[in-house]
Amino acid sequence: MADSVQEFLAMGGYARYVWSAYGIAAVVLVFNVLRPLVAHRRLKRRIRNGEFVDD
Amino acid sequence: MTRTRRRRLMLVGCLLLGLSAAAALMLTAFKQDMLYFHEPSAIAAGTVPINTRFRIGGLVKMGSVSRPGDGMTVHFAIADCDASVPVTYSGTLPDLFRQGQGVIAYGKLDAQGTFVADRILAKHDSNYMSSDTARALKAKTSVSCMPSRLQASR
Amino acid sequence: MATSAFKRWFHRFGSLPYFYGVSRSWARWLAVPGLVLAGYAVFAGLVLVPADYQQGDVFRILYIHVPSAWLSLFGYTAMAVAGVITLVWRLKLAEIFIVAAAPIGASFTFLALVTGAIWGKPTWGTFWVWDARLTSELILLFLYLGVIALHQAIESPRTAARACALLSIVGVVNVPIIHYSVVWWTTLHQGATVKLTGGSHMESDMLWPLLAGALGFTLIFGWLTLWGMRVQLLWRERRSRWVMRMVQDG
């Protein structure tokens, strides 16, 4: 079991290529999910605080 | 659809048409320069300016690879269906370099017509399969001599 | 009859408060199957699928590289269509779509380039070459960044949207060039593996997870773009009464 996990992580000697590619993809995807959610929440708060009612 | 909308749609259509025409003209004008490498048969046909450095691409001819002397220098031939060019190179080769494999060599032709390369890149084809499938297929088919570009559009 | 029903639907759909309300559940309906399919594709790509006979395990990068490259082309084409709708019909939702899709399309283009470079190093022997395929894909990234920059540079949202629409339409000429670059010219990049016409050059155990991944990531693209549109819409309508009322209520 431990051996097969090791073998899986080694990716036939291409570990750094495969895992760096998948790692970068994960980071970019998570960033793209969080960005609109955070922006949405922040914007709603600003509207609620009446930041845009001055005129 | 109202008149204004139809007029705007026509304008956008003309814009796209003009752009495509301009792009097509430009790409045809630069056709030679857009090629990343030249094929052996094109070199044999004399359509390639060979007095400077250029790239040559094709398949490593079966049975042509030899390493005389110290083993650092490798001799082989790059071929397509109609022609082949002898190549000499010393240095590290990419993992995928092997007989029958697509490669691209960067260098110059010498007076004897041998291509002296200082850089070799492997070009892989668009086929993916497991080793088991490959072994089963190998019994039936031989390595194709077609340039990979044509293989891809087959 | 049919046209009037379509017109009614079109106007209701075009209504911003309606879209804002309904897009939240649409986003969920895209997210769940999208994540399931993409998750399956990644798992299959890393674990279930056999290694390639020539490249070995490094070919597993394909399962993110190909969906990313597909979305880089799909996203820009969709933006160009929205660009035509923006310029001809002046539909606000189309304007908002362009602005929301651009950063997500840029992200996937970036991923296609980076995963391709990582893949190229061990197989080709180089991270980068200036062949027609790689160069035209890099130009696509600059086009996406151009749309984003243009939107940020112009103050008036409607003028900005029109400029972005124009750039989307102009840039779409690059999309077929990227696709056919490997056929028209000699390139280091290989030809297409998956084709709509004729057989694909991949065994089916490898192909199905790839198609699932392409579909899954496309749904994720839609999900993320919808959320981007919601944010953009809220920003544009921040001074309107319906937004004020909705925010106070919820």
Side-chain angles (χ1 to χ4, degrees):
Chain A
M1 183 60 194
D3 272 4
S4 68
V5 170
Q6 285 254 297
E7 199 187 309
F8 170 66
L9 291 177
M11 279 290 153
Y14 292 110
R16 53 192 178 123
Y17 301 108
V18 174
W19 294 119
S20 62
Y22 274 81
I24 291 167
V27 169
V28 170
L29 275 178
V30 168
F31 174 76
N32 271 298
V33 172
L34 292 183
R35 199 173 44 99
L37 295 183
V38 170
H40 188 250
R41 186 168 304 166
R42 193 173 295 159
L43 182 56
K44 260 182 144 172
R45 195 172 49 228
R46 286 179 70 187
I47 296 171
R48 198 174 299 127
N49 291 345
E51 281 188 39
F52 305 114
V53 282
D54 41 27
D55 40 72
Chain B
M1 201 184 280
T2 64
R3 248 177 106 118
T4 36
R5 279 175 192 162
R6 198 173 313 142
R7 209 188 53 229
R8 285 187 210 141
L9 189 62
M10 294 251 285
L11 271 171
V12 171
C14 289
L15 173 73
L16 254 178
L17 215 69
L19 271 168
S20 317
L25 277 175
M26 231 168 74
L27 296 177
T28 338
F30 292 113
K31 194 161 173 34
Q32 274 290 318
D33 300 316
M34 302 278 294
L35 298 177
Y36 190 68
F37 59 84
H38 299 286
E39 283 151 355
S41 52
I43 293 162
T47 56
V48 180
I50 52 175
N51 46 357
T52 54
R53 284 164 58 79
F54 66 100
R55 294 185 202 92
I56 174 170
L59 301 177
V60 178
K61 199 174 178 182
M62 299 303 278
S64 72
V65 180
S66 68
R67 292 165 196 272
D70 57 358
M72 274 305 287
T73 305
V74 55
H75 293 263
F76 60 97
I78 291 181
D80 56 16
C81 288
D82 303 319
S84 94
V85 174
V87 179
T88 163
Y89 171 74
S90 54
T92 48
L93 291 162
D95 291 2
L96 277 185
F97 182 88
R98 62 193 73 160
Q99 303 197 15
Q101 179 69 44
V103 289
I104 294 168
Y106 198 14
K108 238 182 137 161
L109 275 177
D110 68 8
Q112 284 77 45
T114 301
F115 192 81
V116 183
D118 49 45
R119 192 167 184 216
I120 303 270
L121 299 176
K123 178 171 164 51
H124 68 80
D125 57 25
S126 54
N127 301 316
Y128 298 92
M129 58 184 100
S130 66
S131 329
D132 293 343
T133 314
R135 220 170 293 133
L137 267 180
K138 209 170 187 176
K140 281 182 282 181
T141 56
S142 59
V143 174
S144 169
C145 63
M146 266 159 100
S148 44
R149 186 165 52 103
L150 298 181
Q151 272 182 34
S153 56
R154 184 178 46 184
Chain C
M1 280 306 276
T3 44
S4 83
F6 174 74
K7 259 192 175 158
R8 224 174 313 129
W9 176 84
F10 192 76
H11 280 289
R12 204 160 78 119
F13 176 77
S15 135
L16 300 184
Y18 173 76
F19 176 84
Y20 183 81
V22 85
S23 59
R24 195 192 175 95
S25 67
W26 288 357
R28 202 170 304 137
W29 281 105
L30 290 171
V32 174
L35 288 171
V36 168
L37 281 170
Y40 160 72
V42 166
F43 178 74
L46 285 173
V47 181
L48 302 180
V49 159
D52 179 61
Y53 76 118
Q54 283 200 318
Q55 301 185 33
D57 285 312
V58 77
F59 114 98
R60 297 180 191 282
I61 293 175
L62 177 117
Y63 291 91
I64 41 176
H65 176 74
V66 170
S68 301
W70 149 246
L71 282 177
S72 71
L73 300 181
F74 172 82
Y76 207 90
T77 310
M79 279 164 57
V81 171
V84 174
I85 296 175
T86 298
L87 292 184
V88 177
W89 286 276
R90 305 279 152 96
L91 196 66
K92 262 193 188 174
L93 277 178
E95 301 176 2
I96 291 171
F97 174 85
I98 298 175
V99 176
I104 299 158
S107 300
F108 279 110
T109 312
F110 170 79
L111 271 185
L113 288 166
V114 169
T115 55
I118 293 172
W119 191 0
K121 184 64 188 168
T123 40
W124 295 339
T126 179
F127 284 114
W128 184 263
V129 292
W130 294 100
D131 80 353
R133 169 56 74 80
L134 275 64
T135 308
S136 54
E137 182 76 12
L138 184 65
I139 290 172
L140 183 67
L141 178 63
F142 292 151
L143 284 168
Y144 273 118
L145 297 180
V147 171
I148 296 168
L150 204 54
H151 179 252
Q152 283 177 351
I154 303 175
E155 191 107 18
S156 150
R158 299 222 81 166
T159 317
R162 258 168 238 174
C164 291
L166 202 62
L167 182 55
S168 302
I169 295 170
V170 169
V172 83
V173 174
N174 192 29
V175 169
I177 294 177
I178 296 174
H179 182 78
Y180 289 107
S181 55
V182 292
V183 181
W184 290 341
W185 305 292
T186 57
T187 51
L188 177 58
H189 196 288
Q190 72 285 2
T193 297
V194 183
K195 271 176 265 182
L196 290 176
T197 55
S200 292
H201 300 247
M202 197 176 202
E203 63 178 71
S204 55
D205 291 355
M206 293 172 165
L207 184 60
W208 283 112
L210 178 62
L211 297 179
L215 178 60
F217 278 105
T218 309
L219 296 178
I220 289 176
F221 184 97
W223 166 43
L224 298 177
T225 306
L226 270 185
W227 266 102
M229 287 175 78
R230 287 169 61 81
V231 175
Q232 189 60 32
L233 199 159
L234 208 58
W235 171 253
R236 282 220 194 171
E237 299 287 301
R238 63 191 182 280
R239 295 179 211 280
S240 73
R241 213 176 308 148
W242 70 269
V243 166
M244 298 280 185
R245 204 179 308 133
M246 182 207 62
V247 168
Q248 301 305 338
D249 290 350

